[in-house]
Amino acid sequence: MPPVSARLPVFPWDRLEPYKATAAAHPDGIVDLSVGTPVDPVPELIRAALADASDSPGYPTVWGTAALRDALTGWVERRLGAAGVTHTQVLPVVGSKELVASLPTQLGLGPGDRVAFPRLAYPTYEVGARLAGAEPVPYDEPTELDPAGLKLLWLNSPSNPTGRVLSADELRTAVAWARAHGVLVVSDECYLELGWEADPVSVLHPEISGGSFEGLVAVHSLSKRSNLAGYRAAFLAGDEAVLGELLKIRKHGGMMVPAPVQAATVAALGDDKHVTEQRERYERRRAALRSALAGHGFRIEHSEASLYLWATRDEPCWDTVGALAELGILVAPGEFYGAAGERHVRVAFTATDERVEAAVRRLAG
């Protein structure tokens, strides 16, 4: 039996290790702006909710507690602008990456089916298609795709890696086209609460969806907005027929969000104060790094939202990665996100204030 991993590309982050070693050798230590992992404390009210639910000896349910489903539906209505959201239109998942990688398989896709995603994109969209044996199809504009055999259309706004935000008109056009061709739209909106120069909108907003979730699923995560990457807390919202089928499959697979994490999610979604405070931290770091990169000869493209700056010096991305590593700064090569990114780097601003200040000094030196 051939290994399933043979279907997949080389894990991209392994290729960054030599540059990480170079950056780590800097006398003042590494400034790691590559992966984009949260570094700030988990808010106290979330930790308290986790601790209070820690005596959870029984199995949690895949669908989650009623309190969790209330929190999910309430947040979708309040933050995404949807109306009348029911428990059958939300589903907790064990982190968004697990969902992205396994969704085509859980939808029953396989050879002969096609999965489309942006040409510059989070690499797990392609991984999910390959794990299912489906054909991965990168696109520039979704409406230019050949709909034959196309079963799943990924949208990503705000984008990882570019930070680009799709306008309401672009989203409406994509949704209308997909519905006309019977293609399921899954919109990765994990950075929706991190808009800086644009106000991202969900596909579930009535102005985009037309007031119906038919053929639409949105993916959301608490990793970045609440510093919960270590909790693996995420959820889906949208078409109840799609989510109902996924629920049945996930019950069989035992894909359960741990009970303490469910309780922590309820607390996180019920509080906006910590999100505002975290946004303010990121906004300061973003401004400092953007200015320093521009002063060092970089051009910043898109980047109107998300936790990244999409930067270029009009040279091969690995040359840029190497030059910054010599300064003790580690960034992600744009090539990780598709061949179209081969002359860009992705710079995360998730480091501590002290490390961001160090990067700014080195770029100015």
Side-chain angles (χ1 to χ4, degrees):
M1 182 180 296
V4 175
S5 62
R7 304 177 191 170
L8 306 179
V10 174
F11 186 63
W13 295 99
D14 291 344
R15 298 169 58 198
L16 202 57
E17 286 301 314
Y19 299 91
K20 185 174 183 178
T22 298
H26 190 280
D28 186 37
I30 189 173
V31 179
D32 193 341
L33 308 178
S34 61
V35 176
T37 188
V39 298
D40 298 302
V42 174
E44 178 56 39
L45 85 161
I46 300 175
R47 284 186 278 166
L50 184 84
D52 289 345
S54 62
D55 185 13
S56 298
Y59 291 111
T61 62
V62 172
W63 199 17
T65 63
L68 175 59
R69 284 178 265 131
D70 283 342
L72 296 178
T73 56
W75 186 87
V76 169
E77 291 185 344
R78 175 170 55 86
R79 183 62 185 85
L80 304 187
V85 184
T86 67
H87 283 194
T88 58
Q89 294 172 317
V90 292
L91 180 65
V93 296
V94 191
S96 58
K97 184 168 186 175
E98 169 267 313
L99 183 281
V100 173
S102 63
L103 183 60
T105 298
Q106 292 182 39
L107 291 172
L109 305 190
D113 297 322
R114 300 164 72 232
V115 175
F117 47 85
R119 191 169 300 281
L120 273 169
Y122 184 46
T124 313
Y125 304 137
E126 178 179 353
V127 167
R130 292 189 180 281
L131 284 172
E135 178 188 353
V137 183
Y139 66 79
D140 294 307
E141 293 294 336
T143 56
E144 296 174 357
L145 287 163
D146 179 356
L150 185 61
K151 300 297 179 63
L152 171 58
L153 171 64
W154 282 104
L155 301 179
N156 180 209
S157 177
S159 163
N160 174 15
T162 69
R164 179 189 175 201
V165 173
L166 296 176
S167 69
D169 283 343
E170 288 174 308
L171 289 171
R172 271 192 297 269
T173 298
V175 167
W177 180 89
R179 282 175 165 169
H181 295 287
V183 178
L184 175 66
V185 172
V186 182
S187 179
D188 181 348
E189 303 174 354
C190 289
Y191 296 94
L192 185 132
E193 294 195 278
L194 296 166
W196 312 112
E197 299 166 12
D199 187 14
V201 62
S202 172
V203 293
L204 302 185
H205 191 285
E207 291 185 2
I208 309 302
S209 69
S212 167
F213 288 175
E214 183 180 358
L216 303 177
V217 174
V219 182
H220 285 272
S221 167
L222 282 75
S223 291
K224 304 305 181 354
R225 49 99 67 192
S226 298
N227 298 333
L228 297 189
Y231 284 46
R232 310 315 300 136
F235 64 93
L236 306 179
D239 191 324
E240 63 182 355
V242 177
L243 268 55
E245 178 65 13
L246 291 175
L247 176 59
K248 293 176 184 176
I249 293 164
R250 295 173 71 83
K251 282 181 177 179
H252 281 291
M255 299 174 187
M256 301 172 283
V257 175
V261 175
Q262 293 189 29
T265 300
V266 172
L269 292 179
D271 177 73
D272 290 335
K273 183 172 181 286
H274 78 276
V275 180
T276 299
E277 292 172 350
Q278 189 60 46
R279 274 182 53 89
E280 290 171 352
R281 293 187 191 105
Y282 284 142
E283 192 166 19
R284 291 194 302 270
R285 294 165 185 166
R286 176 182 184 270
L289 284 170
R290 184 178 189 125
S291 177
L293 288 166
H296 199 72
F298 282 90
R299 183 175 71 255
I300 308 299
E301 297 181 354
H302 299 301
S303 307
E304 57 259 33
S306 82
L307 287 178
Y308 312 107
L309 295 168
W310 188 237
T312 182
R313 291 198 305 195
D314 295 311
E315 65 184 5
C317 61
W318 288 103
D319 290 354
T320 308
V321 170
L324 290 175
E326 293 292 338
L327 296 177
I329 300 170
L330 188 68
V331 299
E335 185 184 274
F336 279 8
Y337 308 94
E342 63 186 6
R343 299 180 74 82
H344 290 73
V345 293
R346 193 195 72 170
V347 184
F349 42 88
T350 53
T352 64
D353 290 343
E354 184 273 332
R355 288 288 82 188
V356 168
E357 290 168 4
V360 169
R361 287 195 304 271
R362 296 174 197 181
L363 290 166

